[in-house]
Amino acid sequence: MKNLVTQFMLVLVFIAGSIGMVKAQTGDLFFSEYIEGNSNNKAIEIYNPTANTILLADYQIAQSSNGGGWQYYHTFPAGAAIAPGDVWTILNSSTNPALFDALNADEVLSFPSVVHHNGDDARGLIKISGTDTLWLDIFGTPDFDPGTGWAVAGVANATANKTLVRKASVTAGNTDWTLSAGTDANDSEWIVLDVDVFTYLGSHPHVIDNSFPIVFNVNMNYQITAGNFDPLTETVDVAGSFNSWAGTAMTDTDGDGIYSAEIAGFNAGDTAFFKFRINSDWGNAEFPGGDNRQFVVESGMTEVSYWYDDNAGPQSVTFTIVDATESYLNIKMKGSYDGWVLHQMYDDGTNGDLVAGDHTWTCILEIQGGTWEWGAIEDDSTLGELWLLQGPNLVFSVNTDGTVSGDTSYEIPTQGNETIVFNVNMNQQIALGNFDPALHYVDVAGSFNNYSTSGAFEDLDGDGIYTKSIDGFTAGNTIEYKFRLNGDWNTSEFPGMGNRMYTVIGGGADVILHWYNDELPPAQPDLFFSEYIEGGSNNKAMEIYNPTNDTILLDSYQIAQSTNGSGWQYYHTFPAGAAIAPGDVWTILNSSTNPALFDAANADEFLSYPSVVHHNGDDARGLIKISGTDTLWLDIIGTPDVDPGTGWDVAGVSAATANKTLVRKASVTIGNTDWAASAGTDENNSEWIVLDIDVFDYLGSHPHIIELLEPSCLPCKYELSG
């Protein structure tokens, strides 16, 4: 009988939830305190705001765990009641007795119970009257798992490791958790206290001043140096939302140029808006005409510090170059902070250099705020300006608070013992007439050779791929480079654009191969997917089309498989001797496909589980061709490292790779490894026609001209023409 009653209650709860929850009216019970502390220090308190004693026989607490919806219901002991203005306290039996005496609780519950909750477990207070269920109050969201906990009053994860006390101004429950939790300390119905605060448990209401002071600091030193502020005759204050924009005077008691003011009344979750002002004058405030400063108050925050106008002025920045080669005689630096003007660096014990002759070169410059690039050269008059960095320019920032971050030092590495084999494919340049092997040569210039020539590359086997082995690299170093025609920067790759970059691996693994200027010849026709079926149950198939004029043997082809976004894991190989004639297809059928849909005798492969045609809508497939050690991707359906859920959208149809048939348009003559482009966003730009579930009419041949008579809906009627 108990099970029947429980099932009936679940039906009532579902009906109540489906028609919407209404905020409880005044004059009934509501949650007044919630504690989720360390370990099992947990409690819930219910308050009776009425003038009458309320029996709890008709009340229950609904429970949800980890976003699983309302699953369990706590009923109260027989005869339980709450007197007017009193509370009902439920305590976890393992709560530290030093925090709360269990004798003062109305219920002390062992596991499992309504007070064995975590921060992501919702609770709801309901009242049952006959066949009606009234929701009085809700804490959390029953069908959503927030992770650690929900934010309350602007405090992140406040339902975990915190005590929440309902404000004295709240007189009724609230079934809208978003409104109840609020966004800050002002609009929330709750006061957020620290972990394991049991001080207020056992009675309600309470007037709690949970506010704390914050010290505001503003550094005026640059304003003093720039003549914008005279500490002898002028004042500075802070005006903001916390003092009605009236301004609070700031003082510099120790004469260090940093002015401070302590302001009380902040609560965790508050958002403070403010500006600093000189002489309490809005015409002389920070950021004239600009936005106010702001920050969100965090629990335990004690002070905030700024430079006036976020301007710390120029800062002394020490740059160092460590010459691990111990070979350079005159190092200079330059950067974007002053238009790449050369500055002398020192290794003589002066100008900030600590030890003379230790091959650590130093330069100290005054740099304005901002983010800048820099580098260094050797300028000994014999080599000219030799750029010393291997890899990109160094980047550093002078921040608004006067600190310096980023890279202000660099070590010139010793020459390594790693070799890089550079290869560049010139076949497309030959085809375009840009490169004549009989007259021209190709080289590489980069950070490793001061962007000078490496010497001509060679093509010993005449395959159009030119090669050069270069020594002296160090594993882990990053290099920049470009290939050039005839050693001429005017005919280098990517004119006016950035360099190629490469990080040295070491151990003989450094072999680089590029097409010159990344220009590849037009793709040649090859096999591609022409049909994909993911239907009811195991009604599944795939079809591959040969668009060429030649019979293609399948011994060099495979179908790569990914399951649930886990990347390419499995590879389907074709039977020995398998081949596709010109204009013909290869059909692979799931062995459990309904024979009324397609005759297995007409399939080229008929596969039982597991196989490449035991796919779901979120399983990607890729067609590859293997030539020696090279793998060429010809076509892809789906994204191998992303699980879309049910399936991927195709031609604007949601989850079209599940419970649908996809037929490649007749206008498509080559595969596409860009699935987003292949799938498209609507029926016009997609490469596929989306048909209804279990449509096998087109399987076994290709191409087809399919006219959708009702393109705006699925299922659609369709006809074959031509």
Side-chain angles (χ1 to χ4, degrees), residues 214-268:
I214 293 178
V215 175
F216 288 75
N217 301 301
V218 60
N219 194 319
M220 300 297 294
N221 280 296
Y222 180 65
Q223 301 302 318
I224 295 171
T225 300
N228 299 328
F229 178 72
D230 184 347
L232 298 178
T233 61
E234 296 183 297
T235 61
V236 62
D237 71 0
V238 58
S241 56
F242 40 79
N243 59 14
S244 300
W245 301 96
T248 300
M250 308 182 74
T251 59
D252 178 14
T253 56
D254 58 3
D256 64 353
I258 300 175
Y259 287 70
S260 303
E262 183 178 82
I263 300 176
F266 291 96
N267 290 281

Side-chain angles (χ1 to χ4, degrees), residues 346-357:
Y346 299 91
D347 184 25
D348 58 1
T350 67
N351 296 280
D353 182 57
L354 298 178
V355 180

